[in-house]
Amino acid sequence: MSSDKLKPVFDKLFPQIDELKPDFINVLKQAVEIPAVSSDESLRPMVVKKAEFLADQLKSLGFHDIQLKELGTQPPPVTNPKLQLPPVVLSRYGNDSNKKTVLVYGHYDVQPAQMEDGWDTEPFELVVDEATQQLKGRGSTDDTGPLTGWLHIVRAHIEAGIEFPVNLITCFEGMEESGSLGLEELIGREATGYFKGVDAVCISDNYWLGTKKPVLTYGLRGCNYYQVTVSGPKADLHSGVFGGVIAEPMVDLMQILSSLVDSQGKILIKGIDEMVAPVTEKEHEIYKKIDFSLEELNEASGSNTALYKTKEDILMHRWRYPSLSVHGVEGAFYGQGAKTVIPAKVNGKFSIRTVPDMDSEKLTQLVVDHCNNAFKKLGSPNTCHAELIHDGAYWVSDPFNAQFTAASKATQVVYGVEPDLTREGGSIPITLTFEQQLKTSVLLLPMGRGDDGAHSINEKLDISNFINGIKLMGAYLHFYAASPEN
Ligand SMILES: NCC(=O)N[C@@H](Cc1c[nH]cn1)C(=O)O
Ligand SMILES: [Zn+2]
Ligand SMILES: [Zn+2]
């Protein structure tokens, strides 16, 4: 359908969204205040509380068949073997057999955040910064802001008295930041149950490449997350008494971690390069068209530490080559001051972003063998154990199907420009599962910008992206509903 035919709808809908801005920000504020950190076992009740908060919101908007689906206990490695996984929030809005059904996925869990990390404001308070016109707080852009956008677009239709164009199903999970544990099985079970009849899946959980141009995303890297544990003495020891006398786990671990990747980002684990799909001649064309620069990368990272200087090199290393990042060490001394301790047991955490055609199981074998060999070479009397914590698949789709066409038209209506078609360096582990189990296409429709600081300190969402992002969700649903194909 042409934009002209939908103009009367948008002329009513968009001013309504503008008018509801204070209410939308208020709902986001309440949601951000719940510290739903999925990786912190002690905060699991907060993750559940946020699921209940969302269920209440959905109920007040008239969603029906609201279910908090339990996923059982969290698999190892976990401190509390009875720890329950947070529920998946399923709900429906509309049930008209003449309309298409769109499943919207988002995650309500967030990354950890503490003032000590360097935040300027409390991470679990949504600060409305009038000067910058930004909403600051953990989850503002990843993914609480976009997730609540789906609720807001329903509210805007109700208030404006506009018929909702599709049947909507929500699938909001609370473990995305920790590998989407349990969700794959739930989707498998519900493919012919709750999710029967789904025509399309839309996910708003990634970002524009830069800060100015909207994008639609047709690819993600996967993520295999590993832990390597080195254990020695039975308790932490005084380095004055035991230093130089016993083998230190932390020293062994540092050597293992530094054997994984070099300072130029080259992965040193043998066999990985051979699994990566070769670059095709045609592929080079893709990068030329994309609006991005080294300067934008530097601005987003707040530094001049880029490993590559050209747009093509940067994008290829973000989208289509694997990368290995070292995240941290559990059990090590990391606070201020000068504690003279020898940690007894340390867990080094690292992950590998995966790309076509890497095989997760084969990769894990290579990683475990590499860590064991690196440790063996040290001749240490300590013990070492390397293991996979979770893996999530990469995903690449056709960016010209009915969903992408609808989203492209919507972007032109809301932002007045044709979106760039991008891939993403990050991961949304469940994307491929939706595509395969529901046999539908998946569209990634980002709300925030590349400099939002997701997973970092001072995470933000520009108010304009929040409001335009809600309009974009609405416009996409209208264009998709009117599209002749699925
Ligand atoms: N917005 C998506 C996102 O942040 N995804 C996480 C997923 C993940 C995988 N393993 C741990 N978290 C990401 O880091 O890309
Ligand atoms: Zn996310
Ligand atoms: Zn995230």
Side-chain angles (χ1 to χ4, degrees):
M1 183 180 279
S2 77
S3 307
D4 292 349
K5 284 209 178 120
L6 286 170
K7 192 172 178 299
V9 173
F10 300 147
D11 283 350
K12 224 167 139 189
L13 183 63
F14 293 173
Q16 185 68 65
I17 292 171
D18 290 328
E19 204 181 301
L20 288 167
K21 183 166 94 177
D23 284 20
F24 293 165
I25 292 175
N26 187 37
V27 171
L28 181 57
K29 187 174 164 53
Q30 292 175 61
V32 165
E33 274 169 14
I34 307 169
V37 180
S38 54
S39 60
D40 184 338
E41 291 184 32
S42 70
L43 287 173
R44 189 55 54 86
M46 291 296 124
V47 188
V48 176
K49 186 176 169 188
K50 197 159 169 189
E52 287 161 355
F53 169 81
L54 290 171
D56 287 346
Q57 293 289 318
L58 291 162
K59 196 168 171 205
S60 70
L61 286 166
F63 280 74
H64 60 103
D65 201 2
I66 301 168
Q67 297 186 24
L68 296 190
K69 284 276 187 196
E70 292 301 337
L71 300 176
T73 50
Q74 183 162 329
V78 67
T79 312
N80 170 10
K82 292 196 176 136
L83 186 71
Q84 289 293 314
L85 288 165
V88 175
V89 184
L90 300 182
S91 69
R92 298 178 194 279
Y93 190 77
N95 199 6
D96 183 340
S97 57
N98 294 316
K99 289 181 183 173
K100 290 182 182 141
T101 299
V102 177
L103 182 150
V104 292
Y105 161 89
H107 65 91
Y108 61 86
D109 63 319
V110 293
Q111 287 280 321
Q114 296 178 352
M115 280 303 276
E116 303 91 270
D117 299 337
W119 283 71
D120 295 334
T121 56
E122 276 297 334
F124 294 105
E125 276 175 26
L126 190 79
V127 174
V128 183
D129 189 327
E130 293 297 342
T132 58
Q133 285 294 295
Q134 289 170 348
L135 305 166
K136 294 187 175 157
R138 179 53 95 221
S140 52
T141 195
D142 181 16
D143 180 40
T144 313
L147 180 152
T148 59
W150 294 116
L151 278 56
H152 301 326
I153 193 58
V154 169
R155 166 103 192 265
H157 277 79
I158 296 169
E159 301 279 347
I162 301 169
E163 185 180 346
F164 207 70
V166 297
N167 303 314
L168 206 64
I169 293 182
T170 70
C171 177
F172 297 153
E173 73 154 321
M175 275 305 273
E176 195 271 351
E177 298 292 11
S178 301
S180 290
L181 304 177
L183 185 59
E184 195 171 336
E185 294 77 8
L186 176 116
I187 294 170
R189 284 195 300 275
E190 298 297 341
T192 51
Y194 205 100
F195 300 151
K196 191 164 183 259
V198 167
D199 296 297
V201 175
C202 182
I203 300 178
S204 185
D205 181 25
N206 69 302
Y207 326 96
W208 296 354
L209 194 50
T211 55
K212 291 174 197 79
K213 193 155 184 210
V215 309
L216 303 177
T217 306
Y218 65 95
L220 291 163
R221 291 196 289 184
C223 186
N224 277 30
Y225 204 107
Y226 297 98
Q227 156 171 299
V228 55
T229 307
V230 181
S231 312
K234 98 171 177 283
D236 290 0
L237 298 172
H238 188 309
S239 66
V241 181
F242 293 94
V245 178
I246 61 136
E248 301 196 14
M250 188 73 165
V251 174
D252 293 350
L253 180 67
M254 289 300 134
Q255 298 191 63
I256 297 168
L257 292 179
S258 62
S259 75
L260 297 170
V261 62
D262 73 15
S263 296
Q264 301 310 306
K266 181 167 172 38
I267 300 176
L268 304 173
I269 302 168
K270 284 202 177 66
I272 290 188
D273 287 350
E274 289 75 4
M275 287 198 275
V276 177
V279 179
T280 62
E281 268 310 307
K282 231 171 112 195
E283 200 179 325
H284 292 288
E285 291 306 309
I286 297 171
Y287 306 101
K288 288 186 189 143
K289 292 186 211 134
I290 307 286
D291 189 358
F292 190 64
S293 66
L294 171 64
E295 288 66 40
E296 277 184 277
L297 174 70
N298 286 341
E299 219 170 287
S301 78
S303 69
N304 286 319
T305 53
L307 291 172
Y308 302 95
K309 304 295 173 208
T310 69
K311 177 171 78 173
E312 177 166 322
D313 277 343
I314 295 167
L315 294 181
M316 284 180 122
H317 282 87
R318 182 180 279 182
W319 295 352
R320 63 103 57 232
Y321 286 125
S323 61
L324 189 152
S325 300
V326 179
H327 304 295
V329 178
E330 190 180 338
F333 168 60
Y334 69 94
Q336 280 183 353
K339 190 177 177 190
T340 49
V341 68
I342 298 173
K345 178 180 169 184
V346 278
N347 296 323
K349 317 272 177 126
F350 63 96
S351 71
I352 298 177
R353 296 287 170 173
T354 59
V355 296
D357 297 319
M358 292 168 73
D359 177 80
S360 173
E361 264 179 50
K362 206 168 147 197
L363 175 64
T364 297
Q365 198 53 57
L366 292 174
V367 169
V368 171
D369 288 350
H370 178 96
C371 291
N372 288 340
N373 288 336
F375 178 70
K376 208 166 158 202
K377 278 189 203 151
L378 302 176
S380 167
N382 290 323
T383 58
C384 172
H385 178 67
E387 65 194 311
L388 174 79
I389 297 186
H390 60 248
D391 59 348
Y394 51 78
W395 166 82
V396 185
S397 147
D398 160 26
F400 302 105
N401 64 28
Q403 282 221 81
F404 278 84
T405 305
S408 177
K409 286 180 187 169
T411 308
Q412 290 172 59
V413 166
V414 174
Y415 285 102
V417 290
E418 207 174 308
D420 273 343
L421 297 174
T422 61
R423 282 165 69 170
E424 171 93 21
S427 318
I428 305 173
I430 213 61
T431 311
L432 185 68
T433 309
F434 276 124
E435 191 178 275
Q436 291 178 339
Q437 296 280 354
L438 306 190
K439 300 180 179 51
T440 59
S441 70
V442 182
L443 163 73
L444 300 195
L445 187 65
M447 179 179 265
R449 304 183 188 182
D451 68 347
D452 281 354
H455 294 207
S456 180
I457 56 166
N458 301 324
E459 180 179 342
K460 60 87 176 165
L461 176 64
D462 293 80
I463 295 176
S464 64
N465 280 60
F466 187 42
I467 297 305
N468 284 328
I470 296 166
K471 292 178 184 171
L472 185 64
M473 287 170 166
Y476 145 71
L477 291 174
H478 278 280
F479 279 116
Y480 179 61
S483 139
E485 323 148 53
N486 272 352

